[in-house]
């Protein structure tokens, strides 16, 4: 269509109608879409106020699909610019990029990962609306300090530091404890570096580590580790609540409702009673505290931000009191066993002194608990967990790419440094016996308010519990919002909303663990879940950094794949150091969730690292294969399945179901790939959208039929040209399809489709020229599915050398359940004067060397144009007579047409040379072969026969007659032609 035609296509409404019938409205300078995304001065258009009035303050929609004012202006010629087919001159630049680009620029949703439908150009009768007006008020967003640093600090600083850290120094010694802190701190520091790299590689939604792991390692791994991490946070909340309640009841014994149980500890110089609160008190107070924290979480981010300092500030004051007490211990009337900071004490406590203790941790020669470095790792590591507390709240952060790295690394370094300093101070402060017997040494040495330590313990544990009850529901809601597991649909939340249902569920889990009371068996598993999550983060960064995909551009530059690998290995080592049995249990649980997600979950393509790894592995494998000939030992059938030719199917069935079943029969144990292709007749520009829809439909059907393959739709003027393009270009290197599979056109004569013979013969010739093997199926409707068991024989009529393709296909059939009860028979067709016995022996030896079990028959026959009256079946003779008559009539018409036009014999658009004697010989040959097949293989489950190539000088109509006569009365037969390459080999 030329420019003049374009002008004429512009309607009265100012729209532009494309050659394929779609109407486009020109983009005007006064359109709100243009004014909002470009630097055009709104006042430059004199008619802007008349076309689009000022919007009210509330939200409304602007219709940009049509504009009556613009149309009238176009009619009346009010525009100062001459009329253009695409609108005013200043808008032609925008129109050049198309209307879709304007929608994308305004929305930008596709770049932030939101699932929105791809914008399409408006069609006839369609409008596009763009929201305008005041935007929705944004939810409260947190900065680095309140959003990441303080939550991480509250989660890391817990009860272990206050009541067990000095004991760990006494048991493991200063040197061993420094090594312990360095080991655990290095693990969390490397994890924080990996977390920083992934979190700065793009926009991050809610879900924290789950979001990062899922997008890097795939939905199955992400959901399995994410759910384990959620359980770990929920149960950790119960641990923190019980720690706070137990400390409170010890500080205020009168608050106990039930009578306390007192255990007297003997065998030490400093014998003191250990008071244990009643388990019922722990349960009652624990549930009350959980409910109070749950209400705080229900208050949302604002409430949490207001309460968090109230939990943190007393903790910081308690730490100051501890350090002041350590520095002033000698002057401030020290208790028995406290020497103050002393170099002599430092030397005495440098080495380890592992010994047995009772359940309370007090040394006893006959104690039930044995300690070593591995056990101390399991006891101390929960003191460094909590680095994910900030990333768990990623949906509430202003700038995740800045806040998560700075806040997480700062909290990790501050707490690790504090632990290392505390190791030296505690080791130089008191004797080993005091370190091992005084569980509240921090309160003993605190100055000037020892009681503040107990308040610090209570508030630190409650702050950690608050962070767990805040992060866990958001993590569960993020998993539910991804819609991978339908069972989690009840925990979905809208963007910016609080996960109330997930919070209730988390509080229920936490309360249940509090009621159980004894969490000694669950605590190591919780630690394993944290370590499993850390390992997942490190592996994610390792994979992404190693693959280095073009999309991997993190803002955090201080990372390397080797550091992530070391971090992941360190997490695994620590897991086994703590407890190999709990490691196995946690890995088994994650594996069960992974399997459940694989079976029940919805497919999700997040562009994860494994997809990138598969892609690079495929490219590397393709390059290593090269384009050279594949060795027969490594040969796999790669069928090109021609889906819809010569058979009527329902519109919603893009491929004959039995054709898909046969494609599966060509694979051994499912290994291999099929390419399903179909051709749409028409112009590519007009049919591109239809081709995409057809390809999606065909791909869905392939998945439904459990075929390992891909779908391709090609648009071409006709089937012949389309197939010729497919056979030349489909595939890459040695992964090009090597077998063309299609249905025999049985309908060509029944429905008088005169164009089929030329197309069918052209496809066969194209395959021969392109060096592709061919398998043509007749009786496709009778082909068995995977549940229909077949008995009898698979008969092979091996007439010409085909590289062993026919033999290999028959062996592949035997690997399927439907054909596994069949036996193979090989019929060799030989000349009458050939050495039949010698040929039979050679074929048997050949099959034996190929490790193929088959019975061999040699049939001799004459190939001349003579008929043994007793040999052919009566129905074959009738078909022979009819075919001979039709060929004669067709030849007469060809001759008459040639004489009338004064040209040589023409058929299928080319000159042909017809040797009538040769035509008759071909007819007799196919008649004899058909008679032999009917005699020996009438009851066979399936018959294979060599496909004769189309004679070069014969019309396609003649070849179809030969083929019809060959296949007459045979219900299920495969025509096979090899391709000048061996697909089997005798050698190992």
């Amino acid at each position: 269509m030329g420019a003049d035609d374009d002008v004429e296509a512009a309607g009265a409404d100012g729209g532009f109608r494309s050659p394929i019938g779609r109407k486009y409205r020109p983009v005007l300078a006064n359109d709100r879409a243009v004014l909002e995304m470009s630097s055009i001065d709104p006042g430059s258009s004199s008619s802007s106020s008349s076309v689009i009035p000022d919007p009210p303050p509330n939200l409304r929609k602007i219709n940009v699909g049509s504009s009556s004012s613009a149309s009238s202006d176009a009619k009346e010629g009010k525009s100062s610019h001459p009329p253009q087919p695409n609108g005013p001159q200043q808008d032609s630049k925008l129109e050049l990029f198309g209307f879709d680009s304007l929608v994308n620029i305004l929305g930008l949703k596709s770049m932030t990962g939101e699932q929105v439908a791809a914008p399409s150009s408006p069609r006839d009768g369609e409008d596009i609306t763009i929201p305008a007006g005041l935007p929705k008020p944004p939810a409260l967003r947190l900065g680095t300090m309140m959003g990441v640093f303080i939550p991480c600090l509250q989660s890391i600083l817990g009860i272990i530091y206050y009541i067990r850290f000095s004991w760990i120094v006494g048991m493991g010694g200063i040197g061993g404890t420094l090594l312990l802190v360095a080991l655990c701190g290095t693990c969390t520091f490397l994890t924080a570096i990996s977390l920083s790299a992934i979190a700065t590689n793009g926009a991050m939604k809610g879900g924290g580590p789950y979001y990062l792991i899922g997008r890097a390692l795939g939905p199955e791994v992400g959901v399995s580790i994410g759910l384990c991490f959620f359980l770990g946070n929920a149960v950790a909340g119960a641990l923190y609540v019980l720690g706070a309640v137990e400390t409170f009841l010890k500080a205020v014994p009168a608050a106990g409702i039930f009578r306390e149980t007192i255990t007297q500890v003997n065998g030490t110089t400093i014998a003191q009673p250990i008071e244990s609160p009643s388990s019922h008190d722990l349960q009652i107070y624990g549930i009350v505290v959980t409910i109070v924290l749950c209400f705080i979480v229900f208050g949302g981010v604002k409430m949490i931000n207001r309460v968090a300092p109230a939990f943190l500030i007393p903790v910081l004051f308690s730490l100051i009191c501890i350090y002041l007490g350590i520095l002033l211990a000698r002057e401030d009337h020290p208790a028995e066993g406290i020497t103050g900071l002393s170099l002599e004490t430092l030397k005495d406590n440098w080495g380890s002194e592992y010994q047995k203790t009772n359940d309370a941790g007090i040394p006893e020669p006959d104690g039930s608990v044995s300690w070593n470095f591995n056990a101390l790792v399991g006891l101390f590591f929960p003191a460094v967990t909590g680095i994910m507390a900030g990333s768990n709240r990623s949906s509430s952060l202003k700038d995740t790419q800045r806040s998560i790295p700075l806040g997480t690394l700062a909290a990790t370094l501050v707490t690790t440094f504090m632990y290392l300093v505390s190791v030296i101070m505690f080791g130089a402060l008191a004797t080993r016996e005091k370190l091992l017997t005084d569980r509240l040494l921090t309160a003993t040495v605190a100055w000037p308010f020892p009681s503040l330590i107990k308040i610090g313990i209570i508030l630190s544990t409650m702050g950690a519990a608050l962070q767990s009850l805040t992060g866990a529901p958001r993590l569960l809601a993020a998993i539910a919002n991804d819609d991978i597991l339908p069972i989690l649909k009840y925990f979905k939340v809208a963007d910016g909303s609080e996960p109330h249902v997930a919070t209730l569920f988390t509080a229920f889990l936490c309360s249940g663990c509090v009621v159980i009371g004894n969490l000694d068996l669950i605590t190591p598993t919780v630690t394993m879940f944290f370590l499993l999550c850390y390992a997942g983060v490190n592996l994610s960064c390792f994979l992404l950094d190693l693959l280095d995909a073009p999309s991997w551009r993190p803002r955090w530059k201080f990372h390397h794949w080797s550091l992530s690998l070391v971090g992941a290995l360190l997490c695994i080592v620590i897991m086994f150091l703590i407890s190999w049995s709990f490691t196995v249990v946690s890995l088994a649980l994650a594996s069960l969730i992974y399997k459940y997600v694989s079976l029940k979950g919805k497919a999700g393509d997040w562009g994860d690292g494994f997809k990138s790894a598969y892609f690079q592995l495929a490219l590397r494998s393709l390059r290593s294969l090269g384009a050279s000939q594949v060795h027969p030992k490594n040969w796999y059938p790669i069928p090109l399945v021609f889906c819809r030719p010569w058979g009527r199917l329902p519109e919603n069935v893009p491929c004959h179901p039995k054709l898909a079943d046969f494609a599966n029969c060509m694979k051994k144990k499912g290994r291999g790939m099929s390419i399903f292709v179909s051709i749409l007749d028409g112009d590519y520009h007009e049919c591109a959208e239809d081709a995409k829809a057809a390809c999606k439909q065909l791909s869905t059907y392939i998945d439904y039929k459990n075929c390992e393959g891909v779908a391709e739709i090609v648009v071409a003027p006709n089937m012949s040209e389309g197939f010729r393009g497919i056979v030349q270009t489909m595939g890459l290197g040695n992964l090009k399809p090597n077998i063309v599979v299609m249905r025999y056109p049985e309908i060509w004569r029944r429905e008088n489709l005169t164009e089929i013979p030329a197309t069918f013969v052209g496809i066969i010739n194209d395959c021969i020229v392109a060096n592709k093997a061919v398998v043509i199926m007749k009786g496709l409707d009778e082909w068995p599915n995977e549940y229909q068991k077949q008995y009898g024989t698979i008969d092979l009529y091996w007439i010409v050398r085909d590289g062993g393709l026919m033999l290999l296909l028959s062996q592949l059939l035997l690997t399927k359940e439907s054909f596994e009860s069949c036996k193979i028979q090989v019929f060799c067709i030989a000349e009458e004067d050939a050495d039949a016995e010698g040929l039979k022996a050679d074929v048997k030896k050949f099959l034996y060397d190929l490790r193929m079990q088959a019975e061999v028959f040699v049939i001799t026959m004459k190939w001349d144009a003579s008929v043994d009256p007793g040999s052919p079946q009566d129905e074959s003779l009738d078909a022979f007579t009819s075919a001979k008559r039709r060929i004669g009539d067709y030849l007469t018409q060809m001759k008459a047409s040639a004489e009338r036009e004064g040209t040589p014999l023409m058929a299928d658009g080319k000159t042909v040379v017809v040797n009538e004697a040769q035509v008759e010989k071909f007819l007799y040959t196919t008649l004899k072969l058909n008679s032999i097949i009917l005699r020996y293989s009438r009851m066979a489950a399936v018959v294979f026969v060599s496909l004769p190539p189309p004679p070069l000088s014969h019309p396609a109509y003649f070849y179809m007659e030969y083929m019809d006569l060959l296949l007459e009365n045979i219900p299920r037969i495969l025509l096979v032609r090899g391709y000048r390459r061996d697909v089997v080999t005798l050698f190992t």
Side-chain angles (χ1 to χ4, degrees):
M1 178 178 290
D4 295 335
D5 296 331
D6 291 347
V7 175
E8 293 177 4
D13 59 350
F16 168 63
R17 187 174 300 277
S18 71
I20 59 175
R22 298 177 184 175
K23 188 172 70 175
Y24 297 86
R25 176 192 165 277
V27 181
L28 303 178
N30 46 33
D31 278 354
R32 177 59 55 90
V34 178
L35 296 179
E36 291 188 357
M37 54 75 64
S38 65
S39 58
I40 298 176
D41 183 8
S44 62
S45 176
S46 60
S47 59
S48 61
S49 59
S50 61
V51 176
I52 300 180
D54 292 334
N58 58 329
L59 183 67
R60 66 189 185 90
K61 289 186 175 182
I62 298 174
N63 190 337
V64 298
S66 62
S67 176
S68 58
S69 299
S71 303
S72 61
D73 287 352
K75 290 180 182 179
E76 298 173 9
K78 292 182 179 180
S79 175
S80 59
H81 300 279
Q84 298 289 337
N86 288 335
Q89 181 66 33
Q90 70 179 64
D91 301 322
S92 60
K93 295 180 180 179
L94 294 175
E95 184 67 21
L96 174 65
F97 297 101
F99 190 79
D100 291 350
S101 61
L102 300 183
V103 177
N104 275 331
I105 292 171
L106 286 171
L108 290 179
K109 291 186 176 181
S110 61
M111 300 191 66
T112 60
E114 297 185 21
Q115 299 298 321
V116 294
S120 59
S121 299
R123 306 192 181 196
D124 290 340
E126 293 182 351
D127 292 335
I128 286 186
T129 57
I130 300 176
L134 294 178
K136 181 181 177 181
L140 178 64
R141 298 292 179 178
L142 305 177
T144 302
M145 181 63 68
M146 296 302 299
V148 180
F149 181 75
I150 289 180
C152 288
L153 206 62
Q154 284 184 312
S155 298
I156 295 173
L157 287 177
I159 192 171
I160 291 178
Y161 177 77
Y162 287 99
I163 67 174
R164 297 307 290 266
F165 193 61
S166 58
W167 182 93
I168 292 173
V169 175
M171 184 67 70
I174 297 175
T177 308
L178 287 175
L179 178 62
L180 172 66
V181 173
L183 178 68
C184 299
T186 302
C187 176
T188 55
F189 180 73
L190 293 178
T191 304
I193 290 179
S194 299
L195 176 68
S196 302
I198 306 177
T200 58
N201 191 49
M204 181 178 171
K205 294 185 181 179
Y210 154 74
Y211 182 86
L212 301 178
I213 295 172
R215 268 56 181 181
L217 301 182
E220 293 86 359
V221 178
V223 171
S224 58
I225 294 181
L227 287 178
C228 288
F229 192 55
F230 162 74
L231 291 175
N233 275 281
V235 180
L239 291 175
Y240 298 139
V241 168
L242 286 176
V245 171
E246 184 176 354
T247 306
F248 170 72
L249 291 176
K250 286 181 178 180
V252 189
I257 302 173
F258 298 88
R259 189 174 60 182
E260 294 177 339
T261 302
I262 300 177
T263 303
Q264 186 72 27
V265 177
N266 297 319
T268 61
T269 305
I270 310 174
Q272 296 178 353
I274 303 298
E275 299 179 354
S276 300
S278 170
S279 60
H280 299 300
D281 287 340
L282 291 176
Q283 293 168 351
I284 293 174
Y285 279 101
I287 292 176
V288 172
V289 171
T290 303
I291 293 174
V292 172
L293 295 177
C294 184
F295 273 109
I296 296 176
V297 175
F298 262 97
V301 177
K302 288 184 178 180
M303 180 68 71
I304 296 171
N305 287 342
R306 291 172 182 171
V307 174
F311 286 113
L312 183 62
I313 292 175
V315 173
L316 297 179
F317 273 116
S318 68
L319 293 175
I320 294 174
C321 291
I322 292 173
Y323 291 131
L324 287 176
I326 293 175
L327 294 175
L328 303 175
R330 183 168 301 190
E331 291 82 3
D332 187 34
H333 307 290
E336 185 177 356
I338 296 180
T339 63
L341 295 178
S342 168
L343 184 60
E344 190 68 27
T345 307
L346 180 69
K347 293 179 181 179
D348 293 341
N349 292 332
W350 183 263
S352 61
E353 192 173 312
Y354 298 112
Q355 49 191 300
K356 292 185 177 182
T357 67
N358 59 14
D359 293 336
I362 304 300
E364 282 187 359
D366 300 327
S368 58
V369 182
S370 298
W371 291 93
N372 53 29
F373 183 80
N374 294 355
L376 290 184
V377 172
L379 177 63
F380 175 73
F381 192 82
V384 297
T385 59
I387 61 173
M388 299 294 179
S391 61
N392 284 343
R393 306 164 70 176
S394 56
S395 60
S396 303
L397 298 177
K398 291 180 183 177
D399 186 359
T400 57
Q401 298 189 32
R402 181 178 183 274
S403 297
I404 290 179
L406 294 180
T408 305
L409 286 169
T412 303
L413 292 175
V414 167
T415 52
T416 303
F417 177 76
M418 188 191 75
Y419 285 145
L420 292 173
V421 171
S422 299
V423 170
I424 304 296
M425 286 187 168
F426 285 141
L429 175 68
T431 64
R432 190 180 300 273
E433 190 173 22
K434 183 65 173 178
L435 292 174
L436 293 175
T437 54
D438 191 350
R439 301 186 66 178
L440 279 176
L441 180 64
T442 52
T444 303
V445 301
W447 184 88
F449 308 111
S451 59
L452 188 61
I453 302 305
K454 295 181 179 179
I455 298 176
I457 295 173
I458 296 171
L459 293 180
S460 68
T461 50
M462 289 185 66
L466 178 65
Q467 297 305 325
S468 295
L469 292 178
T470 302
R474 284 164 170 75
L475 180 60
L476 183 60
I479 299 174
N481 283 343
D482 280 334
D483 203 21
I484 300 297
L485 280 181
I487 196 175
L488 300 178
K489 62 182 179 181
Y490 304 103
F491 303 111
K492 290 183 178 181
V493 294
D495 290 340
S497 301
E498 293 293 328
H500 296 311
V501 179
T503 301
L504 285 176
F505 182 69
T506 305
F508 175 77
L509 285 180
C510 186
S511 301
C513 295
V514 168
V515 170
I516 294 174
N518 185 5
L519 298 176
D520 291 340
L521 295 178
I522 303 177
T523 305
T525 308
V526 173
T527 305
M528 297 302 169
F529 287 158
F530 280 98
L531 281 166
L532 193 63
C533 178
Y534 297 168
V537 172
N538 282 301
L539 285 176
S540 301
C541 186
F542 164 72
L543 183 63
L544 294 173
D545 208 3
L546 188 65
L547 295 175
D548 200 17
S551 61
W552 177 246
R553 300 183 302 276
R555 294 182 184 275
W556 182 260
K557 303 299 183 184
F558 304 101
H559 67 92
H560 192 266
W561 63 265
S562 59
L563 295 178
S564 301
L565 180 60
V566 171
L569 294 176
L570 202 55
C571 291
I572 302 299
V573 168
I574 292 176
M575 290 176 71
F576 280 98
L577 282 179
I578 294 174
S579 172
W580 69 267
S581 58
F582 280 106
T583 301
V584 172
V585 169
S586 59
L587 291 176
L589 179 60
S591 300
L592 287 176
I593 298 176
Y594 178 91
K595 187 65 176 178
Y596 178 77
V597 175
S598 301
L599 295 176
K600 301 294 184 180
K602 297 181 181 178
D605 186 7
W606 295 339
D608 54 85
F610 282 134
K611 296 291 193 306
S612 179
Y614 296 153
F615 180 77
Q616 293 201 21
L617 183 62
L619 291 181
R620 186 181 297 273
S621 301
L622 190 60
R623 289 195 300 267
S624 64
L625 284 175
S628 59
Q629 180 175 340
V630 178
H631 194 278
K633 288 192 294 184
N634 302 325
W635 189 87
Y636 283 85
I638 305 178
L640 179 71
V641 183
F642 212 5
C643 291
R644 289 193 71 104
W646 312 305
R648 300 189 182 279
L649 293 173
E651 286 298 325
N652 60 342
V653 180
C655 177
H656 197 293
K658 300 299 180 64
L659 206 56
D661 291 337
F662 179 72
N664 277 336
C665 289
M666 301 178 72
K667 302 170 186 175
K668 187 176 183 179
K669 297 181 180 179
R671 299 189 186 99
M673 181 183 69
S674 302
I675 302 177
F676 291 78
V677 297
S678 190
I679 297 174
L680 289 183
D681 294 342
D683 181 77
Y684 175 70
H685 288 208
E686 297 181 0
C687 301
E689 294 298 326
D690 296 333
K692 292 177 183 177
C695 187
K696 184 177 181 180
Q697 182 189 30
L698 181 56
S699 180
T700 303
Y701 189 76
I702 292 171
D703 293 338
Y704 165 73
K705 294 294 293 182
N706 294 322
C707 292
E708 292 289 337
V710 295
E712 294 289 346
I713 302 294
V714 175
V715 180
N718 53 63
M719 186 181 296
S720 297
E721 292 190 20
F723 183 82
R724 196 166 292 127
I726 289 172
V727 80
Q728 292 182 78
T729 60
M730 192 67 67
L732 292 172
N734 273 329
L735 290 183
K736 289 186 176 180
N738 46 33
I739 302 178
V740 176
V741 179
M742 60 182 172
R743 183 181 188 179
Y744 183 76
E746 302 172 56
I747 64 172
W748 78 280
R749 181 181 291 112
R750 183 173 66 248
E751 300 187 13
N752 196 26
L753 300 175
T754 56
E755 75 280 359
I756 284 184
T759 303
F760 179 70
V761 172
I763 288 176
I764 295 177
N765 285 327
D766 290 341
C767 293
I768 294 173
V769 172
N771 200 23
K772 307 290 184 186
V774 184
V775 176
I776 300 173
M777 303 180 67
K778 189 241 179 180
L780 190 60
D781 296 331
E782 305 299 325
W783 190 264
N785 59 34
E786 55 183 332
Y787 306 108
Q788 295 174 327
K789 204 165 186 65
Q790 302 296 301
Y791 300 93
T793 61
I794 300 175
D795 292 354
L796 280 61
Y797 286 83
W798 196 15
I799 301 174
V800 296
R801 183 178 180 275
D802 59 0
L805 178 61
M806 189 184 297
L807 296 172
L808 184 61
L809 292 179
S810 64
Q811 292 294 320
L812 292 175
L813 278 185
L814 289 182
T815 63
K816 304 303 175 183
E817 291 186 11
S818 53
F819 289 97
E820 63 183 0
S821 299
C822 297
K823 295 182 179 180
I824 296 179
Q825 296 184 149
V826 177
F827 295 87
C828 298
I829 310 298
E831 294 284 353
E832 191 174 32
D833 55 353
D835 182 6
E837 291 302 321
L839 177 60
K840 183 175 182 179
D842 291 341
V843 173
K844 279 188 173 182
K845 178 65 168 56
F846 180 69
L847 294 177
Y848 176 80
D849 291 338
L850 289 176
R851 293 87 63 202
M852 294 181 179
Q853 298 288 335
E855 191 173 357
V856 179
F857 302 91
V858 176
I859 299 175
T860 59
M861 60 177 289
K862 293 182 179 180
W863 294 98
D864 58 1
S866 62
V867 179
D868 182 3
S871 174
Q873 307 291 328
D874 293 338
E875 55 268 32
S876 298
L877 282 174
D878 294 339
F880 169 78
T881 304
S882 300
K884 191 174 181 179
R885 185 184 68 252
R886 287 191 297 270
I887 286 180
D889 295 341
Y890 188 83
L891 185 58
T892 302
Q893 294 177 6
M894 288 174 56
K895 291 179 178 179
S897 176
E899 291 177 358
R900 186 168 54 253
E901 298 178 5
T903 58
L905 286 178
M906 299 286 293
D908 311 321
K910 62 181 180 180
T911 303
V912 296
V913 178
V914 178
N915 185 332
E916 296 186 28
Q918 191 180 42
V919 171
E920 187 173 0
K921 179 181 179 180
F922 286 166
L923 285 173
Y924 278 117
T925 300
T926 52
L927 170 64
K928 291 178 181 180
L929 188 54
N930 174 265
S931 300
I932 290 173
I933 294 174
L934 290 177
R935 178 186 301 174
Y936 294 103
S937 304
R938 186 179 287 271
M939 302 303 294
V942 63
V943 176
F944 287 75
V945 66
S946 298
L947 173 69
L952 295 177
S953 59
H954 291 208
Y957 181 87
F958 288 11
Y959 183 74
M960 293 302 297
E961 290 289 355
Y962 306 153
M963 298 305 298
D964 278 358
L965 185 57
L966 174 62
L967 306 177
E968 184 72 23
N969 297 317
I970 304 174
R972 193 186 297 163
I973 188 170
L974 298 179
L975 299 164
V976 180
R977 178 171 181 83
Y979 67 124
R980 296 195 297 275
R981 288 183 182 178
D982 290 333
V983 298
V984 294
T985 179
L986 304 176
F987 304 101
T988 183

